[in-house]
Amino acid sequence: MKTQRQIGIKQYKAAGFVGEQQELVRNTVIPYQYDVLRDKADTEKSHVFDNFRNAAASLSGEDVGDGFYGMVFQDSDAAKWLEAAAFSIATKPDSELEEKADELIALIASAQDGDGYLNTYFTIKDRNKRWTNLLEGHEMYCSGHLFEAGAAYYEATGKRELLEVCLKNAEHIYNRFVTDGKEGYPGHPEIELALLKLYRASGDERCLELAKHLIDVRGVDRDFYKKEKQARDWTVWGNNADDHDYQQNGQPVRQQSDATGHAVRAVYLYTGMADMAGETDDDELFKACQRLWESITARRMYVTGGIGSTVHGEAFSVDYDLPSDTAYSETCASVGLMFFASRMLEIRPSAEYADVMEQAFYNTVLAGMARDGKSFFYVNPLECIPGISGVSPTHRHDLTQRPGWYSCACCPPNVARTVMSLGQYAYGENEDTAFCHMYAAGEVIFKNGVELKCDTSYPFDMNVRYKALKGGKTALRIPRWSTETVIKLNGKKIEPDISEGYAYIALNDDDVLDIRLDYEPKLIFASGRVPELTGKACICRGPLVYCFEGVDNDGDVMSLRLTSDIVTEVIRANGLDNVPALSVKLLRSKGVDRLYSREKPTLTDAYATAIPYFCWANRGETQMRIWLPIVL
Amino acid sequence: MKTQRQIGIKQYKAAGFVGEQQELVRNTVIPYQYDVLRDKADTEKSHVFDNFRNAAASLSGEDVGDGFYGMVFQDSDAAKWLEAAAFSIATKPDSELEEKADELIALIASAQDGDGYLNTYFTIKDRNKRWTNLLEGHEMYCSGHLFEAGAAYYEATGKRELLEVCLKNAEHIYNRFVTDGKEGYPGHPEIELALLKLYRASGDERCLELAKHLIDVRGVDRDFYKKEKQARDWTVWGNNADDHDYQQNGQPVRQQSDATGHAVRAVYLYTGMADMAGETDDDELFKACQRLWESITARRMYVTGGIGSTVHGEAFSVDYDLPSDTAYSETCASVGLMFFASRMLEIRPSAEYADVMEQAFYNTVLAGMARDGKSFFYVNPLECIPGISGVSPTHRHDLTQRPGWYSCACCPPNVARTVMSLGQYAYGENEDTAFCHMYAAGEVIFKNGVELKCDTSYPFDMNVRYKALKGGKTALRIPRWSTETVIKLNGKKIEPDISEGYAYIALNDDDVLDIRLDYEPKLIFASGRVPELTGKACICRGPLVYCFEGVDNDGDVMSLRLTSDIVTEVIRANGLDNVPALSVKLLRSKGVDRLYSREKPTLTDAYATAIPYFCWANRGETQMRIWLPIVL
């Protein structure tokens, strides 16, 4: 059923904007996160290395006492770092980094039990509690992240040690849930998508079979967690075992239609489902994925590609409940949305999926990381009001500034690995066609023989040049937002066939393809069904959502009003280097200061500076707003 | 320090709108609530009568086992009903009702311990736990409500039985906290304002002294609850003893400036403080009250006179955090705001206080009760979206329809007693002047000799006629919202002295005073500091805030847009009898239905129906919105 697949991690060498982001991750984030894992950074204690050391010691019969520290899923931080390191090494060999990775891999291997089990929380704390709490225990979640790292590291280096650890662990899980037929499915989905990667890296059919089993069994017994809870005498957080929405287990997955519950869990699950549907030609499963995709993107997604609007359970709310200032919109959820989009795209190359993938990446995912790579947002509001944000009881989660690290450190390494593997999302291929989903600058060598070089300042500039180092059939996504697209082949305008937002063009060796997308900043309006956004508009330019920050606008963006005729000019904003800001002609409202008044506010012409949303909160605590009231 | 005081409960006989509301309470709410207390109504179990019976039996040495049911403050429901019944009897004798009240009073008296202690929760459950949990135990809160009922019933009937029960209970508390010097102050303030009423009804100076003590001691030891919690081995809800904002005990009350924490507790406390300041000429205390008043009304109050914007702790949030759709805005908090306003007014007759008192009454307090008197809102949002309100995790408290009763039944009886005693808020007096704070139709006999008859359809009509049955000096509030006020004395326009929004006019016997206030519906704008309300406006007419409901507007009020030139016509709305609705000329936005789109919504001329906010949710579940985007 897959019509094209992601390229491998070595096939894309980034340049331009993506290259800059990758260098930032390579030079700053990966070394920093490595220090965090070893507790050498001046931030939240991590203890990840020590957890593995203590687990290994415990397996050797040493008494390590209270030797575990951190969240129940602390192990996954090591896996995510390894995966990012693998991606980095794949395109830029680095023997020092590889040595560090090998050491960590050896440490992880030493913590693996004889039967393949591998989890420091349970190994250190109480081996008898293994598999007794799938609802909260995150054992399969940690395994999943390890499998992703194992597959990536093998692909990057050809070294099998971590892969073998993973396969042994997968075999352990397979034996338990498939061979021995034990009941259960993971509280936090992730292993499903990871097993498919491990399957493709290793060829071990049991990985595919186990993934299929875990997808198929989910929600068939919706009371599984309830029974599990009754049968155990311990808990991690006392999670409610009956919240089927939160757990995506109210129905078998093939019957689900609404994206519900914990947003990261949801999109990780849907990613596994879509990947499985494509891998096994499962049309019923794909149809469920289409319904869930529609539920998210047509009714439950922010304009920033953020999802999971409520802090309660870090979860999807009901349709059209998309508050700006109290948004949750977790960075990891947008990373997961990219995963889901990419797998849907593999089945059906349609701009519908690629547009959202790009929207999530260039806005919420990138907003998750400071421009210096040293601090991170977990939560990504669309409006920030110092004095209320981070302070009011309903806004406590909406911080005004990125912290350096989190005790629950899922988001920073998730941004790192996504940036480092962007080529996999940007490019795909099948036997005869090279697919360009995102205009990522750099060089791509496709396995089908096509070789492309992409020159562009995208997303800051909308001119993209592809040079065919080696020609062949190429499919180029034309974003839905680009209403005026000019394509030139060797300087001559062409009008290629476009199907589902993809232009199919045959390139000869040395052909030069120039694409010019819509330059103009545009106003975006929301459906009248979103109460929060009635009477408002925001500005997008290409894939970038723009926002207004107080620091550029006399400290006050609440008084800004858009008009329907938008006039802008590209300018530079202080402290944002080469990022194109916009000077926007608009109106500023001046009213009396009384709480309520009959005095009509006056509107005066003004110019205000808008910057790409992902750059917000890099210049101190200040007001920020994406959606402005519009005066029509 | 008091320059005028509330009139007594027998001095005002209501007519017009207030009369209708009182008849509704008298004929429907009081009988219904009586049935609830005895568990004869088809609603939430109350058990109030049974609690008193079981407490009495327990005092006689009977084993009543698990004989208490309900909230720790369940007793207060009886007291609030008695108080409403007293107000009803005061102006319309009713021997049957009085008999029921006397029976309940006898029942209450039978549950009083020999030492004056009176609380069924502790008497039934464990007498040893008395006074060990002031943070959560609500003992003084329940006493306070009983004192209010005792004072009112004595004033209404001249019967002393309940008054004696109250004085004995007050003496018990006085002995504990004043004579014996035990530490502590009530977790839920209320007794302070009640003791002042009991003092005025009985003349017992110890009541004044105890109230003063409890006000003075609050916050001096801000860790009192913490120590108390450490010293006890039980809890009601596990409340946080360190949340000084919630408890209004971060500082001694005289130093407080921000209205914080549980909104009902806050305004009950401030009411006691203001009453005490006036009673004892305590300027420092009055200054604190002025700061707290300013904190509420200038920065933390809805246009509906609702306060306490967050569900978290039913509390005040930070300045300018006033969300419409997730508002808490508890009915009882607006009742308490009326109390606070009335006490401030006693010290300084200024329209500043009376305007807010009226704003709270005609909007949030009345919205708390259905038009048939049979169902009640606890929470009063300014926007309702079926599908989100009451459903989304952040909107669960914002119900779309009034339930019949609540397990925590504070609000329904609070509305009842406020409506029944409206004369006390509407009229005041001192030795030589009769004060008209609200234009409440009916007859008022002032102790200073003035007798007024007020004819008006206010708040539905802005023409008010006062006839002086007996003349004298009269002070008439001119609301700040009435920019064009015409006053005629015996048909002749006069321009009286106006001081702080009060027109002072000397009336002779049989003089007729006609006041014509601003008729015109006006647009109200909010300060630019309220992020929620930027680019929006609402409509007020006199003291009434208007809202738009889907039921009058094709099911869709989200697409309505106001313009700055407001044109309206008074009409009738279906199912709302004599309530004047408004037909408003405005614009309706029509956009595409996609979640986000570049397609500009079109605006077409339209007429929409607005109704007074207090009438919302009387015609089925439907959208409701007060603040609309404004197209300038």
Side-chain angles (χ1 to χ4, degrees):
Chain A
M1 202 179 199
K2 294 205 176 185
T3 56
Q4 58 95 25
R5 289 170 184 269
Q6 292 184 342
I7 60 167
I9 63 178
K10 291 176 129 174
Q11 294 174 240
Y12 166 67
K13 284 195 176 37
F17 178 79
V18 176
E20 285 167 23
Q21 296 299 308
Q22 289 196 350
E23 283 307 293
L24 183 66
V25 171
R26 205 188 303 273
N27 299 327
T28 304
V29 184
I30 292 178
Y32 173 71
Q33 294 186 349
Y34 183 70
D35 286 344
V36 170
L37 298 180
R38 296 182 309 148
D39 295 309
K40 305 281 186 198
D42 183 22
T43 182
E44 289 270 354
K45 182 174 165 186
S46 161
H47 211 259
V48 166
F49 271 65
D50 284 341
N51 285 342
F52 282 105
R53 262 184 219 112
N54 289 339
S58 171
L59 287 175
S60 315
E62 273 182 52
D63 178 7
V64 297
D66 194 15
F68 181 89
Y69 174 86
M71 308 297 277
V72 67
F73 46 80
Q74 203 80 349
D75 288 2
S76 63
D77 288 355
K80 277 193 258 187
W81 180 83
L82 273 176
E83 194 188 4
F87 293 143
S88 178
I89 292 164
T91 50
K92 190 171 179 184
D94 176 341
S95 59
E96 204 183 315
L97 178 60
E98 199 168 321
E99 202 174 307
K100 285 176 183 166
D102 286 340
E103 276 172 25
L104 177 55
I105 289 166
L107 181 61
I108 290 171
S110 72
Q112 186 165 35
D113 214 332
D115 61 359
Y117 185 85
L118 177 46
N119 186 294
T120 71
Y121 179 89
F122 290 90
T123 300
I124 294 170
K125 283 182 170 269
D126 189 348
R127 291 163 76 185
N128 292 320
K129 286 188 176 151
R130 288 174 172 196
W131 304 120
T132 59
N133 188 350
L134 301 190
L135 176 63
E136 303 172 314
H138 283 72
E139 284 155 298
M140 286 194 257
Y141 173 85
C142 289
S143 289
H145 274 299
L146 199 67
F147 298 169
E148 290 199 83
Y153 201 70
Y154 172 64
E155 194 179 339
T157 65
K159 292 180 181 171
R160 295 191 62 95
E161 190 185 11
L162 184 57
L163 190 70
E164 295 299 339
V165 167
C166 292
L167 287 169
K168 197 171 152 192
N169 183 236
E171 186 184 16
H172 171 86
I173 300 171
Y174 178 89
N175 287 340
R176 179 176 180 85
F177 292 97
V178 180
T179 313
D180 298 345
K182 290 275 196 285
E183 278 187 272
Y185 41 87
H188 194 317
E190 139 71 21
I191 194 171
E192 302 85 349
L193 74 89
L195 280 164
L196 282 153
K197 288 186 174 184
L198 189 59
Y199 161 64
R200 286 191 283 267
S202 68
D204 188 329
E205 294 277 347
R206 286 174 303 179
C207 296
L208 179 65
E209 200 186 334
L210 175 57
K212 188 166 161 20
H213 169 78
L214 295 173
I215 288 170
D216 289 348
V217 81
R218 183 172 209 93
V220 172
D221 178 4
R222 55 186 257 151
D223 290 328
F224 167 73
Y225 293 129
K226 192 172 167 177
K227 294 178 206 161
E228 182 194 67
K229 192 171 184 178
Q230 285 160 353
R232 62 177 150 86
D233 60 353
W234 70 284
T235 184
V236 178
W237 302 287
N239 276 14
N240 175 5
D242 293 323
D243 189 343
H244 299 300
D245 275 354
Y246 181 83
Q247 294 146 196
Q248 298 91 30
N249 74 342
Q251 299 158 289
V253 298
R254 282 178 178 72
Q255 296 169 23
Q256 296 183 14
S257 295
D258 288 327
T260 67
H262 189 275
V264 177
R265 296 175 190 221
V267 285
Y268 280 12
L269 173 65
Y270 307 154
T271 301
M273 286 163 60
D275 203 349
M276 181 62 71
E279 202 67 49
T280 60
D281 294 344
D282 187 333
D283 194 55
E284 191 189 2
L285 194 55
F286 178 56
K287 287 210 168 70
C289 291
Q290 283 180 307
R291 291 193 304 270
L292 292 163
W293 176 265
E294 178 84 4
S295 171
I296 294 173
T297 59
R299 299 185 294 276
R300 301 185 174 193
M301 183 180 76
Y302 286 104
V303 72
T304 54
I307 55 173
S309 63
T310 177
V311 63
H312 299 277
E314 310 183 312
F316 285 105
S317 179
V318 293
D319 287 347
Y320 308 112
D321 181 26
L322 295 163
S324 292
D325 57 341
T326 61
Y328 200 73
S329 181
E330 184 179 339
T331 309
C332 287
S334 289
V335 166
L337 182 59
M338 289 179 66
F339 296 169
F340 185 26
S342 176
R343 299 313 187 288
M344 294 299 276
L345 210 46
E346 288 188 327
I347 297 171
R348 185 161 75 87
S350 163
E352 177 187 351
Y353 304 123
D355 283 359
V356 168
M357 184 167 75
E358 191 178 62
Q359 190 177 3
F361 178 71
Y362 281 115
N363 298 292
T364 302
V365 175
L366 285 182
M369 182 168 71
R371 282 175 48 75
D372 65 5
K374 290 180 177 163
S375 57
F376 304 88
F377 272 135
Y378 194 111
V379 166
N380 298 282
L382 285 79
E383 177 163 315
C384 171
I385 318 115
I388 296 178
S389 299
V391 183
S392 152
T394 45
H395 296 66
R396 290 234 168 95
H397 55 287
D398 289 298
L399 305 182
T400 61
Q401 294 286 282
R402 293 173 188 82
W405 197 255
Y406 292 83
S407 56
C408 174
C410 54
C411 296
N414 235 346
V415 175
R417 68 182 184 133
T418 304
V419 166
M420 292 314 289
S421 60
L422 197 78
Q424 299 204 292
Y425 304 94
Y427 295 101
E429 62 179 311
N430 60 24
E431 281 169 17
D432 70 358
T433 309
F435 282 84
C436 306
H437 305 302
M438 291 163 77
Y439 305 94
E443 290 187 30
V444 204
I445 300 174
F446 296 87
K447 285 180 187 150
N448 61 21
V450 177
E451 289 186 30
L452 297 176
K453 184 169 185 294
C454 178
D455 277 318
T456 183
S457 303
Y458 191 90
F460 295 158
D461 178 12
M462 297 292 119
N463 291 310
V464 184
R465 166 168 291 186
Y466 277 102
K467 187 166 182 201
L469 304 178
K470 288 189 186 161
K473 210 169 139 192
T474 304
L476 204 74
R477 164 183 152 253
I478 309 301
R480 186 148 51 175
W481 48 257
S482 183
T483 41
E484 284 176 50
T485 307
V486 179
I487 304 176
K488 289 182 181 171
L489 183 60
N490 300 320
K492 204 181 142 193
K493 198 173 161 184
I494 57 167
E495 297 207 342
D497 286 343
I498 294 183
S499 169
E500 298 212 67
Y502 277 75
Y504 289 82
I505 304 160
L507 296 178
N508 295 312
D509 291 358
D510 299 322
D511 271 358
V512 174
L513 194 63
D514 286 301
I515 305 108
R516 185 178 151 163
L517 301 162
D518 249 359
Y519 267 87
E520 292 307 319
K522 297 276 165 65
L523 287 182
I524 303 292
F525 304 88
S527 161
R529 294 168 189 260
V530 185
E532 165 84 14
L533 301 180
T534 55
K536 296 180 185 171
C538 73
I539 298 173
C540 289
R541 182 170 184 253
L544 298 175
V545 175
Y546 275 71
C547 69
F548 294 84
E549 277 201 307
V551 67
D552 297 312
N553 296 294
D554 302 323
D556 173 20
V557 302
M558 297 296 140
S559 66
L560 302 177
R561 304 284 180 271
L562 290 171
T563 60
S564 58
D565 294 315
I566 183 167
V567 177
T568 63
E569 193 186 337
V570 174
I571 56 167
R572 299 282 165 218
N574 284 334
L576 290 182
D577 307 326
N578 64 333
V579 173
L582 295 174
S583 171
V584 183
K585 187 168 183 303
L586 39 58
L587 298 167
R588 200 182 264 279
S589 166
K590 250 203 145 97
V592 285
D593 199 45
R594 284 185 52 204
L595 187 53
Y596 304 109
S597 166
R598 295 187 170 193
E599 211 171 301
K600 201 185 297 180
T602 57
L603 292 174
T604 48
D605 287 340
Y607 287 88
T609 299
I611 62 163
Y613 170 70
F614 79 84
C615 295
W616 86 278
N618 275 284
R619 296 168 296 163
E621 185 176 275
T622 186
Q623 289 187 355
M624 184 277 290
R625 184 171 251 191
I626 288 178
W627 292 95
L628 300 189
I630 186 159
V631 179
L632 285 156
Chain B
M1 201 178 197
K2 294 204 176 185
T3 55
Q4 57 95 27
R5 291 173 183 264
Q6 292 184 343
I7 61 166
I9 63 177
K10 290 176 132 176
Q11 293 174 240
Y12 166 66
K13 284 198 177 31
F17 178 79
V18 176
E20 286 166 23
Q21 296 299 308
Q22 290 196 349
E23 282 307 292
L24 183 66
V25 171
R26 201 187 308 269
N27 299 327
T28 303
V29 184
I30 292 177
Y32 174 70
Q33 294 184 351
Y34 183 69
D35 286 343
V36 170
L37 299 180
R38 296 182 308 149
D39 294 310
K40 305 283 187 197
D42 183 20
T43 185
E44 290 269 355
K45 182 175 166 184
S46 160
H47 211 257
V48 166
F49 271 65
D50 285 340
N51 285 341
F52 282 105
R53 263 183 218 113
N54 289 339
S58 172
L59 288 174
S60 316
E62 269 182 56
D63 179 6
V64 297
D66 193 15
F68 181 89
Y69 174 87
M71 308 297 278
V72 66
F73 46 80
Q74 203 79 349
D75 289 1
S76 62
D77 288 354
K80 278 194 259 185
W81 180 83
L82 273 176
E83 193 186 6
F87 293 144
S88 177
I89 291 165
T91 50
K92 189 173 179 180
D94 176 340
S95 59
E96 205 182 317
L97 178 62
E98 200 168 322
E99 200 173 308
K100 285 176 184 168
D102 287 340
E103 276 171 28
L104 177 56
I105 289 165
L107 181 60
I108 291 170
S110 72
Q112 186 165 36
D113 214 335
D115 61 358
Y117 185 84
L118 177 47
N119 186 293
T120 71
Y121 179 89
F122 289 90
T123 301
I124 294 171
K125 282 179 172 277
D126 188 350
R127 290 165 75 185
N128 292 320
K129 287 185 175 154
R130 286 174 172 197
W131 305 119
T132 59
N133 188 350
L134 300 190
L135 177 62
E136 303 171 313
H138 283 73
E139 285 155 296
M140 285 194 260
Y141 172 84
C142 290
S143 289
H145 274 299
L146 199 67
F147 298 170
E148 290 198 83
Y153 200 70
Y154 172 65
E155 193 177 339
T157 64
K159 293 180 180 172
R160 293 190 63 93
E161 189 182 12
L162 185 57
L163 191 71
E164 295 302 339
V165 168
C166 293
L167 287 169
K168 196 170 153 192
N169 183 236
E171 184 182 20
H172 171 87
I173 301 171
Y174 178 90
N175 287 341
R176 179 176 180 88
F177 293 97
V178 180
T179 312
D180 298 347
K182 290 276 193 289
E183 277 188 274
Y185 41 87
H188 195 315
E190 138 71 20
I191 195 170
E192 302 85 348
L193 75 90
L195 280 164
L196 282 153
K197 288 187 175 185
L198 189 59
Y199 160 64
R200 287 192 283 265
S202 68
D204 188 331
E205 294 275 348
R206 286 175 303 180
C207 296
L208 180 67
E209 200 185 332
L210 175 58
K212 188 165 160 25
H213 169 78
L214 294 174
I215 288 171
D216 288 349
V217 83
R218 184 171 208 93
V220 173
D221 177 3
R222 55 185 256 150
D223 290 328
F224 167 72
Y225 293 128
K226 192 173 166 173
K227 294 178 205 158
E228 181 194 67
K229 191 174 183 174
Q230 286 162 351
R232 65 177 146 86
D233 59 356
W234 71 284
T235 183
V236 178
W237 302 286
N239 276 14
N240 176 5
D242 292 324
D243 189 343
H244 299 301
D245 275 353
Y246 181 82
Q247 293 146 197
Q248 298 92 28
N249 73 342
Q251 300 157 290
V253 299
R254 282 178 177 71
Q255 295 169 23
Q256 296 184 15
S257 294
D258 288 327
T260 68
H262 190 273
V264 176
R265 295 175 190 222
V267 282
Y268 280 11
L269 171 66
Y270 308 154
T271 301
M273 286 163 60
D275 203 349
M276 181 61 72
E279 201 67 51
T280 60
D281 294 344
D282 186 334
D283 194 55
E284 191 188 6
L285 195 56
F286 178 57
K287 285 210 170 69
C289 291
Q290 283 180 307
R291 291 193 305 271
L292 292 163
W293 175 265
E294 177 86 3
S295 170
I296 294 174
T297 59
R299 298 185 295 276
R300 302 185 175 191
M301 183 179 74
Y302 287 104
V303 72
T304 53
I307 54 172
S309 64
T310 177
V311 64
H312 299 277
E314 310 182 311
F316 285 105
S317 179
V318 292
D319 286 347
Y320 307 112
D321 182 25
L322 295 164
S324 292
D325 57 343
T326 60
Y328 200 72
S329 181
E330 185 179 337
T331 309
C332 287
S334 289
V335 166
L337 182 58
M338 289 179 66
F339 296 169
F340 185 24
S342 176
R343 299 312 189 287
M344 294 299 276
L345 210 46
E346 287 188 327
I347 298 171
R348 184 161 74 88
S350 161
E352 177 188 352
Y353 304 123
D355 282 359
V356 169
M357 184 165 72
E358 190 178 60
Q359 190 176 4
F361 178 70
Y362 281 115
N363 298 292
T364 301
V365 175
L366 285 183
M369 181 167 70
R371 282 175 45 76
D372 64 5
K374 290 181 177 166
S375 59
F376 304 88
F377 272 135
Y378 194 110
V379 166
N380 299 282
L382 286 78
E383 177 164 314
C384 171
I385 319 114
I388 296 177
S389 299
V391 183
S392 154
T394 45
H395 296 66
R396 289 234 170 94
H397 55 288
D398 289 297
L399 305 183
T400 60
Q401 294 286 283
R402 294 173 186 83
W405 197 255
Y406 293 83
S407 56
C408 174
C410 53
C411 296
N414 233 346
V415 175
R417 70 183 183 131
T418 305
V419 167
M420 292 314 291
S421 60
L422 198 78
Q424 299 205 293
Y425 304 94
Y427 294 100
E429 62 180 313
N430 60 25
E431 280 168 21
D432 69 357
T433 308
F435 282 84
C436 305
H437 304 303
M438 290 161 79
Y439 304 94
E443 290 189 31
V444 204
I445 299 173
F446 296 87
K447 286 181 187 149
N448 62 19
V450 177
E451 288 185 30
L452 297 177
K453 182 167 186 295
C454 177
D455 276 318
T456 183
S457 303
Y458 192 90
F460 295 157
D461 178 14
M462 299 291 119
N463 290 309
V464 184
R465 166 168 292 187
Y466 277 101
K467 185 162 182 201
L469 303 179
K470 290 190 187 163
K473 210 169 142 194
T474 303
L476 203 73
R477 162 181 154 256
I478 309 300
R480 184 146 55 174
W481 47 257
S482 185
T483 41
E484 285 176 51
T485 306
V486 179
I487 304 176
K488 289 184 183 171
L489 184 58
N490 300 320
K492 205 181 142 192
K493 200 171 160 186
I494 58 167
E495 297 206 343
D497 285 343
I498 294 183
S499 169
E500 297 212 70
Y502 277 75
Y504 290 82
I505 304 160
L507 296 179
N508 294 315
D509 291 357
D510 300 321
D511 270 358
V512 174
L513 195 63
D514 285 300
I515 306 109
R516 187 180 149 160
L517 302 161
D518 249 358
Y519 266 89
E520 292 307 318
K522 298 275 166 70
L523 287 181
I524 302 293
F525 304 88
S527 160
R529 294 169 190 258
V530 185
E532 166 83 14
L533 301 180
T534 56
K536 297 181 185 170
C538 72
I539 299 173
C540 289
R541 182 167 182 256
L544 297 176
V545 176
Y546 275 70
C547 69
F548 295 84
E549 274 201 309
V551 68
D552 298 312
N553 296 295
D554 301 324
D556 173 22
V557 302
M558 297 297 140
S559 65
L560 302 178
R561 304 284 179 271
L562 290 171
T563 60
S564 58
D565 293 317
I566 184 167
V567 178
T568 63
E569 193 187 335
V570 174
I571 56 167
R572 298 283 166 217
N574 284 333
L576 290 181
D577 306 327
N578 64 334
V579 173
L582 295 174
S583 171
V584 184
K585 189 169 181 301
L586 38 58
L587 297 167
R588 199 182 265 279
S589 166
K590 246 199 148 98
V592 283
D593 198 46
R594 286 186 52 204
L595 187 52
Y596 304 109
S597 166
R598 295 186 170 194
E599 211 171 300
K600 201 185 297 181
T602 56
L603 291 174
T604 48
D605 286 341
Y607 288 87
T609 298
I611 63 165
Y613 170 70
F614 80 82
C615 293
W616 87 279
N618 275 285
R619 296 168 297 163
E621 186 177 273
T622 187
Q623 291 186 356
M624 184 277 291
R625 185 170 251 188
I626 289 178
W627 292 94
L628 299 189
I630 186 159
V631 180
L632 287 154

